């Protein structure tokens, strides 16, 4: 299906605003640490611009830019975001623009008003002063040595209301020195045909007025009609060279254009140059990483990167793809780091387990083991809420148990965890634990920040006398997800723990109605895994 | 924004395949009762064709058609689905076509192969026999008095591979008597520009060969590139008069074109006639009804009908929509049965808090209260990990505290929660709590599924003697998120609790390094909220 092969390999610049516009989405919120880690992953996959936040609007973004100065990016340029100056003051005296310069990014993005309705009714401003605000702000930032990306807010609504004025805001920003002019469909209400027609008009107008090669146009769309992606690629077809979007399409209301679709559509379908083949393979993992940091359930049906994106259920489809995957797959899933799945098939389950066992270095070739039995058990446990694709440590132990290769490194006799609180003082947690190693008992106690931490500390203390190497092992991540929220505080929870030592990282899982019980399962799997892999 | 006003009010026929293609989606499955109830709702909103299933493929669909015969539809025509006859036999002897006739629907839909790859490699068939299968099947169904909709499977892939052959399958179906020819992008890999160009070519070819007014074209798209909607409307612009889709876009892999977007885009944006204004207002409820029957969590960000579709978080946005909703809303939410919402978070300004206070029934107009102080406190707490856009109950209490309108309904003296485990037996949790209401102490104890549940039960037991209405209150959701996972089990966690009584639903939040402490904060806010809103 090379219908777009005749296109040239023009380069499109990818501009990510997950860390700013993405956080406008309901329930989306990132800590400074989240932001730093996400920006590193965005850099790693080859995004060209990473908008880090709006330093003038909140302390978290301010702190992010302070810490980000110390971060080295391989590919990306970090940008700070703000508005044009306030009416009636000079750009120099504007606090927002000041904060923008203080974030010390080489590139800055400012948005200005295009739509007369906004200028007059929302801002109580005059059309002339708005033009002056755009010019002064861009000019001041250029004077201070910044590359400037100008976001024309509500560009398309503004164009419908007053074409001349909308175009004038653009030419003003360009004359002020802006390097890129971004047409924003802020309310997400515009159709692809109109985006196409208007972008054409913009390109023609600017090219007639200015030097054709110096005008760069970008596109920023929202998904209120379900058309953010179609609108983005419509603008690209008409000459836009920058696309703004967010990972997983997070953003206000129905979200922004989703870079996890934009990238493969531009690259694989339209044959534009945007990221390398190698980096494209990291797309699914990037999508999962960002959803984990945002603590949002990943959408199974997300194009290209979703768990179901290449999952086949219909009988006809399954037998057809067995002959040729092309029959019901529009691209090869591995190109975006995804894979084909066949639903309701025990055969595929068996080969999965064999594949996984090999990967974990467990021998399943001997006749005495029944792979089917393990498949059945994995399916039963996943039905109950366990998730082994995210817990290789626990899967390892499960396979070892089924193949009689597991010998427990310790046994629990009992534990007791207590949390106490008096009036307004903070909670206090402590744990007592009794374990046995090779018939030798050990009883000990410890405190912690919360009950799981106390239990972790007590277990570690009890085991270290037997296994000194545990000193090198650390728990690095701890995730809790309520599997079925409908029963309130009696709901079943899944705990995922990530551990590491000097050499490796492993994950373990526990499921129970009791969070302490679930944590205990994941904790013990993690310690068993470490000890048995010495 | 009447950019499409110049379009005529042509009628577009809506064809729903939620009950057939929708069930190919991962985790989607309907009982016969589900199917009957959904088809009634589809009829009620004014869908023109309801594809009920594939009677030849499974007993459930067979039974559905048996029961559906007794159902009277106001607007819709029920259709049964099947494939063209098998190779080498007559249409009369084909079991699938027999089952199709036996379902006794006035309209039937059959799909046939367009793509030479499928005909040859998947079906091991000859191109000539495939053409004969299409002709015979359509002809036989017409002979039996049915209206026939012909779905040209993989039409666009087939067209790219062999334009002449693809067009020939269409003209064959038309000559056999098909009433509508539907172009299917079965693998979801085609771009809108190609859909447009190819639909144009199809219309031209058919109009030249046959009477212009008798050829009806439809479109059926999948969302593998995130372009199902854009592709549907591209075909409509080129003359397609039928659009096939599913409610909520359920369907194989990334799903089908989503009728909950198609309908408002066609009607509100492109000004086509498809359903009435009155029926359009039922759209959000229909979307929720189908997700309930499918037991799928509704997507908050679904265009038009999602909970967040008209939710505003950014401070600038909120102050603007207070002046004119048009500022950040592309349509009036009530037109699709949805509504505007304002979220409060550290991105938001004074206007969000004022709007929210009004909504919560708290008076902020008095001069003695400093709204800015509340905003600063909200921002500080969100910096620590609280998340108020998802916790209106806690925000309510916070605003009450700042305006001296909060009087605690109880005070904690102390609690102690204990979790015990012996060897392999399950964990056992119990809680002791001492509270005071109006100077009167109460001490009590309770067990639970896990420590939070035990604490919830103990607090409820202690309070019910003072506040009997607590009997009607239930915790319905419990979410835990580790805010910063790097510290392992000492990480800070955020707990969100959703509670409901007979009238309302509210959410509360707590943050701490100790999960019990965080849960306690969210629990007490929830109980305070309930009691103070009696």
């Amino acid at each position: 299906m090379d219908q777009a092969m005749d296109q040239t390999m023009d380069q499109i610049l990818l501009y990510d605003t997950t860390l700013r516009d993405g956080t406008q989405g309901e329930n989306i919120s990132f800590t400074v640490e989240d932001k730093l880690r996400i920006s590193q992953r965005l850099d790693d996959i080859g995004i060209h611009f990473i908008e880090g936040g709006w330093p003038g609007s909140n302390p978290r973004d301010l702190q992010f830019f302070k810490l980000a100065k110390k971060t080295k990016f391989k590919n990306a340029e970090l940008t700070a975001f703000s508005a044009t100056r306030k009416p009636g003051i000079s750009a120099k005296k504007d606090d927002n623009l000041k904060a923008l310069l203080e974030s010390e990014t080489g590139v800055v993005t400012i948005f200005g008003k295009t739509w007369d309705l906004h200028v007059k009714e929302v801002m109580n401003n005059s059309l002339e002063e708005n033009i002056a605000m755009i010019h002064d702000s861009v000019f001041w930032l250029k004077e201070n040595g910044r590359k400037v990306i100008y976001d024309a807010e509500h560009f398309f609504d503004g164009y419908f209301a007053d074409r001349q004025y909308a175009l004038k805001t653009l030419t003003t920003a360009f004359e002020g020195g802006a390097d890129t002019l971004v047409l924003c469909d802020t309310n997400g209400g515009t159709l692809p045909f109109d985006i196409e027609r208007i972008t054409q008009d913009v390109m023609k107008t600017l090219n007639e007025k200015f030097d054709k090669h110096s005008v760069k146009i970008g596109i920023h769309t929202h998904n209120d009609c379900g058309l953010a992606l179609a609108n983005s690629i419509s603008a690209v077809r008409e000459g836009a060279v920058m696309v703004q979007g967010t990972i997983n399409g997070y953003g206000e209301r129905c979200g922004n254009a989703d870079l996890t679709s934009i990238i493969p559509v531009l690259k694989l379908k339209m044959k534009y140059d945007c990221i390398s083949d190698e980096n494209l393979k990291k797309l699914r993992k990037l999508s999962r990483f960002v959803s984990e940091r945002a603590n949002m359930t990943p959408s199974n049906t997300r194009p290209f990167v979703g768990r179901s994106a290449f999952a086949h259920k219909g009988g006809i489809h399954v037998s057809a793809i067995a002959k040729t995957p092309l029959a019901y797959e529009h691209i090869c899933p591995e190109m975006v780091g995804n894979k084909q799945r066949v639903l309701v098939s025990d055969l595929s389950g068996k080969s999965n387990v064999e594949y996984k066992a090999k990967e974990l270095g467990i021998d399943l070739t001997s006749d005495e083991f029944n792979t089917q039995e393990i498949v059945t058990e994995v399916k039963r446990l996943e039905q109950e809420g366990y998730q082994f694709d995210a817990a290789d440590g626990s899967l390892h132990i499960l396979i070892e148990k089924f193949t009689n290769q597991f010998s427990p490194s310790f046994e629990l006799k009992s534990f007791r965890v207590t949390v106490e609180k008096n009036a307004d003082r903070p909670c206090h947690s402590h744990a007592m634990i009794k374990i046995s190693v090779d018939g030798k008992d050990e009883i000990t106690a410890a405190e912690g920040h919360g009950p799981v931490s106390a239990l972790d500390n007590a277990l570690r203390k009890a085991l270290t006398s037997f296994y000194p190497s545990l000193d090198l092992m650390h728990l690095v991540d701890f995730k809790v997800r309520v599997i079925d929220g409908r029963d309130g505080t009696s709901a079943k929870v899944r705990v995922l723990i990530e551990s590491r030592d000097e050499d490796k990282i492993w994950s373990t899982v526990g499921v129970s109605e009791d969070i302490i019980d679930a944590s205990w399962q994941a904790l013990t799997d993690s310690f068993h895994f470490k000890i048995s892999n010495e």
Side-chain angles (χ1 to χ4, degrees), chain A:
Chain A
M1 278 158 294
D2 288 328
Q3 58 262 44
M5 261 309 209
D6 51 341
Q7 305 261 6
T8 53
M9 283 289 278
D10 288 337
Q11 203 196 16
I12 302 295
L13 298 168
L14 302 170
Y15 183 108
D16 179 278
T17 177
T18 308
L19 304 180
R20 205 267 312 164
D21 227 8
T23 64
Q24 303 267 25
E26 184 164 11
N27 298 328
I28 307 272
S29 134
F30 295 119
T31 61
V32 172
E33 175 64 24
D34 287 334
K35 287 191 158 206
L36 288 168
R37 292 193 56 183
I38 291 172
S39 58
Q40 274 160 345
R41 295 290 287 257
L42 292 170
D43 176 45
D44 180 58
I45 205 172
I47 297 290
H48 305 96
F49 297 94
I50 301 170
E51 189 175 276
W54 184 339
S57 83
N58 67 77
R60 190 185 301 176
D61 286 5
L62 211 58
Q63 208 204 330
F64 167 77
F65 282 106
K66 227 177 255 171
L67 292 171
K69 282 176 201 167
K70 298 169 198 152
T71 309
K72 271 226 155 39
F73 291 115
K74 291 186 290 185
N75 309 295
E77 293 197 76
L78 190 67
T79 86
F81 178 88
S82 194
T84 50
R85 70 159 170 83
K86 290 200 174 56
I89 58 167
S90 72
K92 207 172 172 172
K93 291 204 172 139
D94 187 85
D95 287 342
N96 267 320
L97 293 178
K98 217 178 194 168
L100 203 57
L101 291 175
E102 281 166 6
S103 16
E104 291 179 23
T105 57
V107 191
V108 294
T109 304
I110 53 165
F111 78 93
K113 297 285 180 190
T114 315
W115 192 0
D116 55 356
L117 170 104
H118 263 261
V119 176
K120 291 188 277 190
E121 291 189 34
V122 177
M123 308 284 287
N124 286 320
N125 198 1
S126 74
L127 293 175
E128 297 71 33
E129 172 65 1
N130 182 54
I131 292 289
M133 285 156 60
I134 295 171
H135 183 273
D136 295 355
S137 308
V138 175
F139 194 77
W140 168 246
L141 294 168
K142 288 304 290 182
E143 263 198 327
N144 280 275
R146 301 303 194 271
K147 255 197 243 173
V148 176
I149 296 170
Y150 175 74
D151 278 9
E153 199 196 22
H154 288 113
F155 182 77
F156 299 94
D157 296 313
Y159 182 99
F160 286 122
D162 184 342
R163 172 180 173 274
Q164 285 304 332
Y165 187 74
L167 291 172
K168 192 169 175 200
T169 63
L170 287 186
T171 54
T172 301
F174 190 77
E175 284 161 347
D179 298 273
T180 307
L181 306 173
V182 182
L183 315 180
C184 302
D185 185 30
T186 309
N187 291 6
T190 311
L191 300 182
F193 327 113
D194 290 318
I195 299 270
E196 194 176 298
R197 173 170 68 81
I198 296 170
T199 308
Q200 232 169 53
D201 185 21
V202 167
M203 293 297 290
K204 192 163 160 277
T205 308
L206 292 175
N207 284 336
E208 278 168 8
K209 200 171 159 89
F210 307 110
D211 172 24
K212 191 170 172 166
H213 297 289
S214 63
V215 177
K216 275 194 202 138
I217 292 292
I219 181 79
H220 171 116
T221 63
H222 282 262
N223 206 34
D224 296 76
C225 290
L227 292 165
L229 171 64
N231 286 346
S232 301
I233 62 175
S234 290
V236 167
R237 289 235 318 175
E238 297 305 326
V241 292
M242 174 188 282
V243 180
Q244 298 192 348
T246 64
I247 301 300
N248 299 331
Y250 294 146
E252 184 125 33
R253 305 184 312 269
C254 305
N256 288 52
D258 186 347
L259 284 172
T260 70
S261 297
I262 288 175
I263 294 171
V265 166
L266 286 180
K267 186 170 167 70
L268 301 177
K269 299 278 167 174
M270 297 173 79
K271 310 293 175 189
Y272 283 101
D273 176 20
C274 52
I275 65 173
S276 70
D277 293 344
E278 269 320 296
N279 282 339
L280 187 61
K281 289 182 190 153
K282 302 174 184 167
L283 196 65
R284 190 192 64 85
K285 280 201 174 161
L286 175 66
S287 164
R288 290 301 294 266
F289 179 80
V290 174
S291 64
E292 281 304 323
R293 296 307 295 198
N295 202 26
M296 298 292 284
T297 309
S299 164
N300 282 345
T301 55
R302 197 179 298 291
F304 299 98
V305 296
R307 189 172 144 79
S308 307
F310 302 92
H312 304 277
K313 185 167 164 184
I316 288 184
H317 290 207
V318 174
S319 66
I321 55 161
K323 291 178 186 160
T324 163
L326 197 60
Y328 289 98
E329 282 176 1
H330 69 118
I331 60 160
C332 168
E334 283 72 20
M335 292 172 113
V336 291
N338 211 333
K339 59 181 182 183
Q340 184 183 93
R341 289 167 61 226
V342 168
L343 311 175
V344 217
S345 162
D346 286 344
L347 280 179
S348 73
K350 201 172 150 181
S351 52
N352 280 8
V353 167
E354 278 164 356
Y355 180 92
K356 198 75 199 167
K358 208 171 147 192
E359 200 181 275
L360 295 169
I362 299 174
D363 187 12
L364 276 185
T365 52
S366 155
D367 278 349
E368 65 181 292
F369 308 124
N370 186 343
T371 317
Q372 192 52 51
E373 225 175 283
I374 307 177
V375 174
T376 309
E377 179 66 2
V378 165
K379 285 191 178 183
R380 191 188 64 77
L381 289 170
E382 292 217 331
Q383 184 76 7
E384 277 186 30
Y386 288 79
Q387 198 190 345
F388 290 103
D389 57 350
D392 48 0
S394 291
L395 181 62
H396 191 129
I397 289 172
L398 187 75
I399 295 176
E400 282 187 339
K401 280 181 183 167
F402 265 88
T403 54
N404 305 320
Q405 299 178 56
F406 179 74
S407 61
S409 42
F410 63 92
E411 256 177 73
L412 177 73
K413 295 285 180 178
S414 66
F415 70 66
R416 169 192 289 237
V417 185
T418 306
V419 186
E420 288 171 305
K421 185 176 168 76
N422 285 300
D424 289 339
R425 296 181 46 209
C427 280
H428 176 77
S429 296
H430 46 93
M432 181 284 300
I433 194 165
K434 186 174 168 187
I435 57 156
S436 150
V437 176
D438 294 334
K440 211 177 144 216
D441 285 357
E442 175 78 30
I443 183 162
T444 182
E447 298 180 307
H449 296 293
V452 182
S453 161
L455 192 57
D456 173 21
N457 290 340
L459 179 61
R460 185 179 293 271
K461 203 167 151 189
L463 286 173
T464 309
S465 54
F466 301 103
Y467 305 107
S469 72
L470 290 180
D471 262 358
L472 298 172
M473 165 192 170
H474 298 282
L475 305 187
V476 285
D477 200 359
F478 175 70
K479 284 200 185 76
V480 182
R481 176 154 289 168
V482 176
I483 300 168
D484 181 356
R486 281 171 303 173
D487 299 319
T489 52
S490 300
K492 222 187 232 182
V493 294
R494 173 201 303 141
V495 169
L496 282 169
I497 285 181
E498 196 175 278
S499 312
R500 75 175 344 142
D501 58 16
E502 283 176 318
D503 300 330
K504 45 183 183 311
I505 297 182
W506 62 98
S507 298
T508 53
V509 62
V511 172
S512 170
E513 282 173 349
D514 184 326
I515 193 169
I516 306 295
D517 200 25
S519 304
W520 171 254
Q521 294 170 25
L523 263 183
T524 47
D525 271 7
S526 174
F527 280 90
H528 281 313
F529 182 87
K530 166 69 183 159
I531 295 165
S532 73
N533 280 278
E534 279 305 288

